Amino acid sequence: MESAITIALGRRMPLLILGLILTVLSIPFSQAASVRLGNVMAGTVISKDVQSIRERRFENLVEQHTDFSCGAASLATILKYAYQQPETTEQNVLAGMLEVSDPEVVLAKGFSLLDLKNYVQSLGYRGRGYEVAPDTLDAVSIPVIVLLDLEGYKHFVVVKKASGDRVYIGDPALGNRIMERDKFLASWNGIIFAIVGEGFDRQTPLLDPRQPLTAHRMQDIFAPVPKQKLLDFGFRHADVF
């Protein structure tokens, strides 16, 4: 059943969507804690910051809290960690995306890449979609959003980087993970969505994901994105120089 509840700009939305948003707004967020260790050495107290396994899994990643907000959480991740907007949350991105899309379509089918593009453009950024050949995936040197088909479930995630046989994923539902390249390519439609504009952090932590505990991790050395290379992804000279 639909309701005639009005949101900020007078748009109408189904009661279910509004209820889900209110649920998201009420979810508490955990934080890392500091542990004090006494008597390690006489007269000393050592403090050590610790993270839970869950916090580590969602490090530098905005978690999704509804079935249809993977696109909003992926956008929030890039805005927060690559565009230095620390106040960005899944909640405000989700609310903003609903204002530039059809809530009934979102409820039935979820958000589309066009919805993502319309939202980032409302913020003054530019959304760029590119078709990328599998053998050039490693050349994508900025964090981007892709749509994966995971056993019939369409899901937006952030691709941080690809290297060798690994693709580093920021999955708003499952956390940070590494996909085997073959499995990623089998699920991916070959399209990347890049957010471009002023304020991009070339040293964003999204480009420096944690490495697996193997000798192979040494091949993935972090390096900031060269300014000239940003121009290949739709940035203007004014954005990066």
Side-chain angles (χ1 to χ4, degrees), residues 21-69:
I21 292 176
L22 294 176
T23 300
V24 169
L25 291 173
S26 67
I27 294 174
F29 295 90
S30 60
Q31 295 181 343
S34 180
V35 175
R36 293 170 61 85
L37 305 174
N39 299 321
V40 177
M41 295 180 61
T44 64
V45 175
I46 300 175
S47 294
K48 176 65 176 177
D49 291 334
V50 296
Q51 287 180 310
S52 68
I53 294 175
R54 179 178 180 79
E55 288 170 333
R56 175 65 62 86
R57 188 164 72 243
F58 285 94
E59 184 178 40
N60 300 323
L61 178 64
V62 175
E63 183 180 1
Q64 74 178 84
H65 293 93
T66 74
D67 290 341
F68 61 88
S69 61

Side-chain angles (χ1 to χ4, degrees), residues 44-220:
T44 64
V45 175
I46 300 175
S47 294
K48 176 65 176 177
D49 291 334
V50 296
Q51 287 180 310
S52 68
I53 294 175
R54 179 178 180 79
E55 288 170 333
R56 175 65 62 86
R57 188 164 72 243
F58 285 94
E59 184 178 40
N60 300 323
L61 178 64
V62 175
E63 183 180 1
Q64 74 178 84
H65 293 93
T66 74
D67 290 341
F68 61 88
S69 61
C70 54
S74 296
L75 276 179
T77 294
I78 292 181
L79 292 173
K80 182 173 184 176
Y81 295 107
Y83 278 93
Q84 307 174 74
Q85 295 191 23
E87 302 303 318
T88 301
T89 65
E90 178 201 28
Q91 298 98 307
N92 55 42
V93 172
L94 181 58
M97 289 182 65
L98 286 169
E99 293 177 359
V100 297
S101 60
D102 185 333
E104 294 185 8
V105 174
V106 171
L107 182 60
K109 300 181 179 179
F111 289 107
S112 67
L113 279 176
L114 180 59
D115 295 327
L116 272 63
K117 179 177 181 179
N118 289 339
Y119 175 69
V120 299
Q121 289 184 166
S122 75
L123 299 179
Y125 297 103
R126 301 182 300 282
R128 295 287 185 268
Y130 299 92
E131 186 171 357
V132 177
D135 58 352
T136 61
L137 184 60
D138 290 29
V140 178
S141 54
I142 63 172
V144 296
I145 296 173
V146 303
L147 182 65
L148 299 182
D149 186 336
L150 303 175
E151 298 182 356
Y153 176 65
K154 301 297 178 62
H155 186 50
F156 286 113
V157 301
V158 176
V159 170
K160 302 176 180 181
K161 64 187 294 185
S163 179
D165 60 354
R166 300 191 295 271
V167 180
Y168 296 85
I169 300 296
D171 186 325
L174 301 177
N176 294 300
R177 60 195 184 100
I178 301 172
M179 291 185 69
E180 295 179 6
R181 181 182 290 261
D182 289 344
K183 291 184 178 179
F184 174 84
L185 294 178
S187 305
W188 176 45
N189 62 3
I191 303 295
I192 64 172
F193 179 76
I195 303 169
V196 299
E198 295 183 6
F200 178 75
D201 180 5
R202 295 189 301 114
Q203 301 192 54
T204 168
L206 297 181
L207 296 179
D208 190 22
R210 290 185 181 272
Q211 304 299 318
L213 298 177
T214 68
H216 292 294
R217 70 184 186 275
M218 300 305 295
Q219 72 187 48
D220 295 332

